[in-house]
Amino acid sequence: GAVVSQHPSWVICKSGTSVKIECRSLDFQATTMFWYRQFPKQSLMLMATSNEGSKATYEQGVEKDKFLINHASLTLSTLTVTSAHPEDSSFYICSARQAGSYEQYFGPGTRLTVT
Amino acid sequence: LAKTTQPISMDSYEGQEVNITCSHNNIATNDYITWYQQFPSQGPRFIIQGYKTKVTNEVASLFIPADRKSSTLSLPRVSLSDTAVYYCLVGDIRVGGATNKLIFGTGTLLAVQP
C-alpha cells in the first residue's frame, strides 16, 4: 500500500516551452502533497506544499508563477514548469500524505532536461 | 526547524554494522526524528522514525539519547545494496504540528564495498 507514482519518469523539452508533471497517490487519498527539486549530488529542496482544494504554499525563493501547482483531487497533484530554461533541468520528486497520518510517501521522481 | 548535521560520507564493508550519527542540537520538544534512504534517481524511502530511546524495525534501529540532541541510525550487516544516501530529518510532523513538512539536510552517502 501507500504507493505514489509520477508521470512522466523523464522528459526532455525545448527552452521556452512548458511541461507538466503528474503525481498520483494510487491507493490512498492524499490531502497534502509536496514537491521537491533535486540537483545532481545535492539534497532535496522543498519547493511547495499543496493541500487538496486550496492554493499551494511556496517556499521562499520559489517562483509561484513559474512552477504552477494544482491539487484538484485527493489523488492527483500536478506541477507545471512554465517557460522552461536549461537551469530548470533537475530531478523533481513529489510526496503525499493522507489525512490523519504523519508519514510521507515519495514518488519515484521525474527527470526534466531542458535543451 | 531544527538543523541537522551528518557526515557527508561513510565507507563500510559487506556484513558490517554501520552507525550513522546525526546531530540536531536545536531539536524542539515536539520534534520527531526520521530517517530516509535514497538511491540514485529514485525518491526517498522511509526507514525509521522515533522520538526518544530506541526504536527497531525489520531494517534498522534508531538510538536517541535522553537529551535528544543527536540520533544514530544503525544498519545491521550491510550489503552492497545498502549503498545509498541516508537523510536524517527533524520536525514536528504530527498532524497539525508546527512543521508539517520535511526539510532535507545534506545526507550521508554510505558506500558499501565487497
Side-chain angles (χ1 to χ4, degrees):
Chain A
V3 177
V4 176
S5 69
Q6 285 185 237
H7 178 79
S9 56
W10 59 270
V11 58
I12 301 173
C13 71
K14 292 185 177 181
S15 185
T17 62
S18 296
V19 61
K20 180 184 289 187
I21 301 170
E22 294 183 348
C23 175
R24 294 182 184 271
S25 57
L26 299 184
D27 50 4
F28 66 98
Q29 294 186 324
T31 51
T32 305
M33 286 186 170
F34 305 85
W35 286 95
Y36 296 80
R37 180 169 53 180
Q38 185 175 33
F39 293 107
K41 299 188 183 302
Q42 293 187 24
S43 184
L44 286 78
M45 185 193 79
L46 179 65
M47 299 175 67
T49 302
S50 75
N51 292 296
E52 187 266 338
S54 61
K55 291 184 178 180
T57 301
Y58 291 81
E59 295 298 305
Q60 189 174 8
V62 178
E63 302 174 56
K64 62 180 180 181
D65 295 330
K66 180 172 182 60
F67 299 99
L68 302 180
I69 292 173
N70 183 280
H71 191 170
S73 78
L74 287 172
T75 58
L76 173 65
S77 176
T78 60
L79 167 67
T80 301
V81 183
T82 62
S83 186
H85 291 283
E87 55 265 32
D88 297 323
S89 297
S90 188
F91 192 52
Y92 291 87
I93 306 170
C94 74
S95 68
R97 187 172 65 204
Q98 63 187 100
S101 172
Y102 57 81
E103 191 163 344
Q104 279 184 231
Y105 302 97
F106 285 82
T110 296
R111 175 76 59 191
L112 169 64
T113 301
V114 184
T115 61
Chain B
L1 298 175
K3 181 179 178 181
T4 59
T5 303
Q6 303 174 233
I8 294 176
S9 64
M10 292 183 67
D11 293 323
S12 182
Y13 291 93
E14 281 191 293
Q16 289 187 333
E17 176 186 76
V18 172
N19 296 309
I20 305 174
T21 298
C22 177
S23 297
H24 28 80
N25 293 317
N26 297 322
I27 189 168
T29 301
N30 294 325
D31 285 344
Y32 282 71
I33 301 158
T34 310
W35 286 80
Y36 280 83
Q37 175 193 55
Q38 186 184 28
F39 296 111
S41 298
Q42 293 187 28
R45 184 175 73 101
F46 173 89
I47 300 176
I48 198 166
Q49 183 179 75
Y51 183 81
K52 61 181 180 181
T53 63
K54 177 183 176 181
V55 180
T56 297
N57 61 24
E58 62 275 11
V59 297
S61 294
L62 177 60
F63 298 93
I64 306 169
D67 65 5
R68 303 198 328 121
K69 293 184 182 299
S70 67
S71 59
T72 299
L73 173 72
S74 181
L75 305 173
R77 298 180 300 280
V78 295
S79 63
L80 295 176
S81 61
D82 292 318
T83 294
V85 177
Y86 292 82
Y87 293 98
C88 162
L89 295 92
V90 173
D92 181 4
I93 42 71
R94 300 171 302 163
V95 175
T99 302
N100 209 35
K101 58 187 178 183
L102 295 176
I103 303 297
F104 284 77
T106 56
T108 297
L109 173 59
L110 171 64
V112 180
Q113 301 178 25

